Amino acid sequence: ALEVIKEAHQQFTETLDFFCEDTNTQVGDFFGIIDQFMIAFDKTQEQVERDEEDKLKAARRTLAKEARLKVKPAFKNAVAVDASKMSDEKPSTLLLPSMNSTTRFDIDAAES
């Protein structure tokens, strides 16, 4: 039993040396330091995760806002066209410009 205690003391002394602690540090004091470190580490890790999530949410909001701003002008700049009927009649086709192409929208079918 005495050898087990000596072995434990030797391992604890090596642990203190590894962490650059005074070899006279008491067991309770040492593990108190480790406990405080773990608590601080966990809090910091949680804060980093919250900050990263906040940045991600902000980026998503920015992208959504940019997308809305691109869509609004497309509808404002939509041109009503019906080349075969250049009269006072209501056009039957609405061309909606988009980023890559023009979308045809049949007004008569939409009103039905």
Side-chain angles (χ1 to χ4, degrees), residues 58-71:
R60 287 180 183 153
R61 282 192 301 270
T62 300
L63 288 174
K65 184 177 181 180
E66 289 173 0
R68 283 192 304 273
L69 292 175
K70 288 179 182 178
V71 169

Side-chain angles (χ1 to χ4, degrees), residues 11-109:
Q11 288 178 353
F12 179 67
T13 303
E14 290 172 7
T15 303
L16 290 174
D17 188 47
F18 177 81
F19 284 102
C20 300
E21 291 291 326
D22 182 9
T23 54
N24 294 325
T25 301
Q26 297 298 310
V27 173
D29 294 339
F30 175 73
F31 286 108
I33 294 168
I34 296 295
D35 186 50
Q36 289 174 358
F37 170 80
M38 294 300 297
I39 290 169
F41 182 86
D42 288 343
K43 285 181 181 179
T44 302
Q45 185 177 18
E46 290 170 4
Q47 183 63 47
V48 167
E49 290 171 359
R50 280 192 302 270
D51 291 349
E52 288 175 355
E53 184 65 28
D54 290 346
K55 287 179 186 177
L56 184 60
K57 286 179 183 178
R60 287 180 183 153
R61 282 192 301 270
T62 300
L63 288 174
K65 184 177 181 180
E66 289 173 0
R68 283 192 304 273
L69 292 175
K70 288 179 182 178
V71 169
K72 284 183 183 180
F75 285 106
K76 284 183 181 179
N77 297 330
V79 179
V81 173
D82 189 352
S84 64
K85 302 177 188 176
M86 294 300 233
S87 66
D88 292 335
E89 291 183 35
K90 183 171 82 173
S92 62
T93 304
L94 183 64
L95 295 178
L96 299 174
S98 68
M99 291 181 354
N100 298 327
S101 65
T102 301
T103 303
R104 294 182 86 61
F105 181 73
D106 187 355
I107 295 173
D108 295 330

